[in-house]
Amino acid sequence: MLRIIILFGFTYFFMMLHAKGDISKYINMKYSYLSFSMIFLMGFLTLYQLIQWARGDKRKDHNHDHDHGHDHSHDEDTILKKVFTYTMMLIPIITGIFLPAATLDSTIVKAKGFHFSFIDNDTDQYANHQILRPDASPYYDKIAYNQMDKNDLKKYGSENRIVLDDKHYFRALESIYNHPGNFIDKKVVLKGFAYRTDDIENNQLFVLRFGIIHCIADAGVYGMLVEFPKDVKSQIHKDEWLQVEGTLETTYYQPFKENIPYLKVTKWEEIPKPKDPYVYRQY
Amino acid sequence: MSQTLLQMNTIFISIIIEALPFVVIGVFLSALIQMFVTEEMIAKMIPANRFASAALGSCIGSLFPGCECGIVPITRRLVQKNVPLHAAIAFMLSGPIINPIVIFSTFVAFGDSWKMALYRCSLAIGVSIIVSIAISYLFNDQQLRKVMDHLSHNHSHGSHKMSLRSKIIGTIDHAIDEFFSVGKFLIFGALISSAMQTFFKTSALLEFGHSKVTAVLVMMALAFILSICSEADAFIASSFSGLFGTGPIIAFLVFGAMVDIKNLFMMLDAFQKRFVFTLVSLIAVCVFVGALII
């Protein structure tokens, strides 16, 4: 009986991930067909197990296994082992269905090695300065935000090479942070100034821009972690402007304790500082 | 619910979602083969020459896309059917690694790169051939424990006498049983791995990473304890790739697929103690040296 519940749980979980589109927060969408087919495979196993159970011939099946000398039934001999097996199997179903996927939270990032005078010295406690990941959701109601998020994903997710120029900077970047799985392996072109925190590797940099979502009180710094094929610490200095092109990947970034999207750089060049270093969100 | 725990859960769930399809495909295929391929078929293929049989044993493993626990009982029956011990061992060591599902899952787990899959396979074949040849000099073929008789009796009404329908039903039953017995180790491993990444300071882990020797040892110990099925372990390993280099990760992928807690018990059940411990030490030394070279 428990087995039916667990199998059904997995079926439902995979179905939910695909129906709500949350799957892109967890995995590379290139192989989403694998987890999509899981809905049917698991569904089939659930049905099969249900029929077996309804017929009540569980005993016979177990003898079956012994016939093949395959000792897996060994594993579930004692009550303790049974409890262990079923608890383990239930954990991901329960936490997966009921807990939301965590995403980069700008309040965490703030404390982790990013220092900008206009943010650090701002005494206005109501100001909302974001770092790295643009999050426009506080400025919209929930339904409108979700609708916009969906449209942006449709628009940028269908491009194979996404150019983060002034016009698209905010919305494309936000879309990438919201659904990194949809953008993996795509080309992204990004420009901004180089920024270094203490805890990144010598071949890594942050490429950032100052940006304004709504008004100057909530100006923030937005951009991405980029990784060069070689050590660039001595070549590219802090605050130098550059344009990078690379393929998008995600990585677990220890200082933030989060999975973040980053660019594996294939091409880069130094560029002059633009006239207006700020970018503005397009509405 | 704190942000850190949510974070850990996100990593945990993403490992599970990525690995589970491979586990399910794996358990189905291995159940199919369990039902339709008999040990006699393999026994016929093994040549008499010591070196040729060690090499061939390593290759035949690829016909059995199973994981390291499923392959122990098959190996035992091979030896019962007079396949030379060292060839059966070569088969047991390479089977969980040199097969299409495991290679594909390694490829996917490391971001569509053949590099890790290639290293993994090469080291696995190397270790399995060397260990197999060493075994052929060290031991005679009588290393099975004698108490296994009741099982071979059970097996006497074997798969070939069943109708196709009951074979298919047997396959599905078998797949479900194995899904549960393999799944719990995957989930446990994913829990440990996500917890380590969330709660351990990078600096603490980098201490290990600084010296290649300690890093390899740590990853081998981890592989042994976690006991993750070889179809899914690449996803756990790749989640460590920010913390450890290529060598230690390959050590994890190869050693874990050959020896771990759950299959150690199964080996002790099938073979004599002295033999199992010699075997495990041989594997450990070979993997360790191999990983240092990579």
Side-chain angles (χ1 to χ4, degrees):
Chain A
M1 185 60 194
L2 253 174
R3 287 186 162 206
I4 302 172
I5 294 172
I6 290 170
L7 288 171
F8 177 75
F10 275 115
T11 316
Y12 176 78
F13 178 43
F14 278 101
M15 208 145 76
M16 188 193 84
L17 281 173
H18 279 275
K20 283 169 70 180
D22 278 349
I23 188 103
S24 68
K25 288 178 186 156
Y26 293 105
I27 62 163
N28 182 344
M29 290 306 279
K30 201 169 152 197
Y31 293 102
S32 63
Y33 63 88
L34 280 174
S35 64
F36 188 67
S37 57
M38 286 296 284
I39 300 173
F40 302 99
L41 261 174
M42 284 292 189
F44 168 73
L45 290 183
T46 314
L47 258 178
Y48 174 84
Q49 193 76 350
L50 192 69
I51 292 168
Q52 291 289 43
W53 178 72
R55 278 181 172 174
D57 55 2
K58 207 151 179 347
R59 204 108 297 265
K60 207 181 109 217
D61 291 328
H62 265 261
N63 286 334
H64 228 77
D65 288 317
H66 281 282
D67 286 351
H68 300 284
H70 213 67
D71 306 339
H72 285 300
S73 31
H74 245 84
D75 289 355
E76 285 153 47
D77 271 345
T78 66
I79 293 180
L80 205 73
K81 277 184 179 165
K82 250 186 188 156
V83 170
F84 177 72
T85 305
Y86 292 132
T87 338
M88 275 297 150
M89 299 302 276
L90 279 169
I91 290 175
I93 300 177
I94 293 167
T95 65
I97 291 177
F98 295 108
L99 298 181
T103 41
L104 191 58
D105 176 353
S106 48
T107 54
I108 290 186
V109 180
K110 205 169 276 181
K112 305 269 179 174
F114 286 84
H115 296 288
F116 296 96
S117 59
F118 76 96
I119 295 175
D120 291 349
N121 301 333
D122 192 345
T123 50
D124 179 359
Q125 55 172 319
Y126 297 107
N128 171 25
H129 300 296
Q130 300 176 348
I131 290 184
L132 216 56
R133 175 193 185 159
D135 177 12
S137 60
Y139 306 98
Y140 289 86
D141 75 73
K142 209 174 165 194
I143 298 168
Y145 182 78
N146 288 343
Q147 189 55 47
M148 187 181 64
D149 183 47
K150 228 177 175 171
N151 290 341
D152 282 353
L153 177 63
K154 222 187 216 160
K155 180 174 166 196
Y156 298 111
S158 62
E159 293 174 17
N160 278 322
R161 185 169 181 273
I162 301 138
V163 181
L164 296 177
D165 55 16
D166 287 9
K167 204 173 152 211
H168 300 288
Y169 197 85
F170 264 108
R171 299 192 53 165
L173 197 61
E174 188 160 352
S175 196
I176 290 172
Y177 274 105
N178 284 350
H179 313 274
N182 286 71
F183 290 89
I184 285 179
D185 288 339
K186 290 188 189 238
K187 289 248 175 267
V188 176
V189 182
L190 170 71
K191 65 184 167 183
F193 60 88
Y195 189 82
R196 193 163 252 302
T197 57
D198 294 334
D199 36 36
I200 57 177
E201 305 283 331
N202 283 346
N203 64 340
Q204 294 178 327
L205 278 177
F206 286 97
V207 172
L208 305 173
R209 293 201 68 169
F210 293 114
I212 291 167
I213 293 184
H214 191 244
C215 63
I216 192 75
D218 56 37
V221 199
Y222 306 95
M224 258 195 271
L225 179 68
V226 301
E227 186 177 290
F228 292 87
K230 56 175 186 168
D231 187 345
V232 290
K233 195 173 185 183
S234 51
Q235 286 169 36
I236 303 175
H237 300 283
K238 205 180 155 191
D239 293 337
E240 265 175 12
W241 279 77
L242 63 160
Q243 171 161 326
V244 297
E245 175 164 354
T247 41
L248 195 112
E249 298 274 340
T250 62
T251 181
Y252 181 76
Y253 188 59
Q254 186 73 23
F256 302 169
K257 295 201 193 308
E258 319 238 47
N259 263 314
I260 60 169
Y262 76 106
L263 287 187
K264 274 202 138 115
V265 176
T266 48
K267 268 194 284 192
W268 73 94
E269 56 180 339
E270 283 177 26
I271 53 167
K273 184 176 174 178
K275 272 194 201 102
D276 189 352
Y278 278 87
V279 279
Y280 304 89
R281 194 174 198 282
Q282 309 280 317
Y283 285 89
Chain B
M1 180 69 66
S2 85
Q3 188 69 24
T4 331
L5 274 181
L6 278 186
Q7 235 359 285
M8 174 181 154
N9 185 52
T10 306
I11 300 169
F12 169 64
I13 294 291
S14 69
I15 295 175
I16 302 283
I17 297 176
E18 284 194 302
L20 218 48
F22 289 97
V23 170
V24 173
I25 299 168
V27 297
F28 259 103
L29 269 183
S30 84
L32 264 178
I33 283 162
Q34 227 61 244
M35 286 288 149
F36 291 95
V37 181
T38 60
E39 287 83 18
E40 282 88 351
M41 296 182 192
I42 301 174
K44 271 183 204 149
M45 291 169 68
I46 303 281
N49 178 284
R50 166 178 306 185
F51 300 100
S53 56
L56 194 75
S58 299
C59 299
I60 287 184
S62 60
L63 293 177
F64 278 71
C67 55
E68 61 272 22
C69 51
I71 207 152
V72 176
I74 304 177
T75 310
R76 189 185 56 218
R77 276 180 314 224
L78 281 178
V79 178
Q80 281 169 351
K81 288 187 178 148
N82 294 327
V83 170
L85 179 74
H86 68 278
I89 293 298
F91 166 84
M92 181 175 93
L93 298 184
S94 62
I97 299 179
I98 316 294
N99 74 61
I101 302 168
V102 172
I103 294 172
F104 184 48
S105 77
T106 313
F107 172 73
V108 172
F110 287 94
D112 288 3
S113 130
W114 287 113
K115 187 183 126 198
M116 295 306 261
L118 206 73
Y119 276 143
R120 185 182 194 183
C121 293
S122 332
L123 184 61
I125 291 181
V127 169
S128 113
I129 290 180
I130 292 172
V131 169
S132 157
I133 291 173
I135 290 286
S136 77
Y137 283 105
L138 290 174
F139 291 96
N140 63 17
D141 284 357
Q142 263 62 61
Q143 299 299 329
L144 285 184
R145 280 183 60 201
K146 311 228 157 42
V147 285
M148 302 316 298
D149 286 6
H150 63 284
L151 266 173
S152 44
H153 274 300
N154 255 343
H155 189 250
S156 57
H157 40 125
S159 30
H160 37 277
K161 281 182 197 157
M162 295 155 63
S163 69
L164 183 67
R165 188 173 172 274
S166 56
K167 268 189 181 182
I168 291 172
I169 289 180
T171 306
I172 302 173
D173 282 333
H174 200 280
I176 294 180
D177 278 350
E178 199 159 296
F179 174 72
F180 279 89
S181 69
V182 164
K184 63 169 181 278
F185 286 105
L186 165 68
I187 292 166
F188 188 65
L191 265 180
I192 301 276
S193 153
S194 57
M196 270 180 73
Q197 292 180 64
T198 320
F199 296 110
F200 272 29
K201 282 205 175 106
T202 334
S203 52
L205 283 168
L206 285 181
E207 287 289 297
F208 293 122
H210 268 316
S211 143
K212 210 171 174 185
V213 174
T214 48
V216 169
L217 288 176
V218 165
M219 284 308 266
M220 278 168 70
L222 211 57
F224 177 76
I225 297 165
L226 293 182
S227 301
I228 307 148
C229 176
S230 64
E231 284 132 7
D233 61 359
F235 294 98
I236 310 277
S238 76
S239 71
F240 281 111
S241 60
L243 302 171
F244 294 105
T246 308
I249 288 189
I250 295 294
F252 178 92
L253 288 174
V254 175
F255 190 69
M258 292 182 175
V259 186
D260 57 36
I261 292 179
K262 72 181 151 119
N263 98 329
L264 183 66
F265 282 118
M266 301 184 87
M267 285 196 279
L268 284 172
D269 203 36
F271 300 103
Q272 286 170 15
K273 266 203 193 83
R274 200 171 71 88
F275 173 73
V276 174
F277 286 118
T278 319
L279 178 67
V280 171
S281 341
L282 277 171
I283 299 170
V285 171
C286 290
V287 172
F288 179 69
V289 172
L292 284 186
I293 296 170
I294 290 173

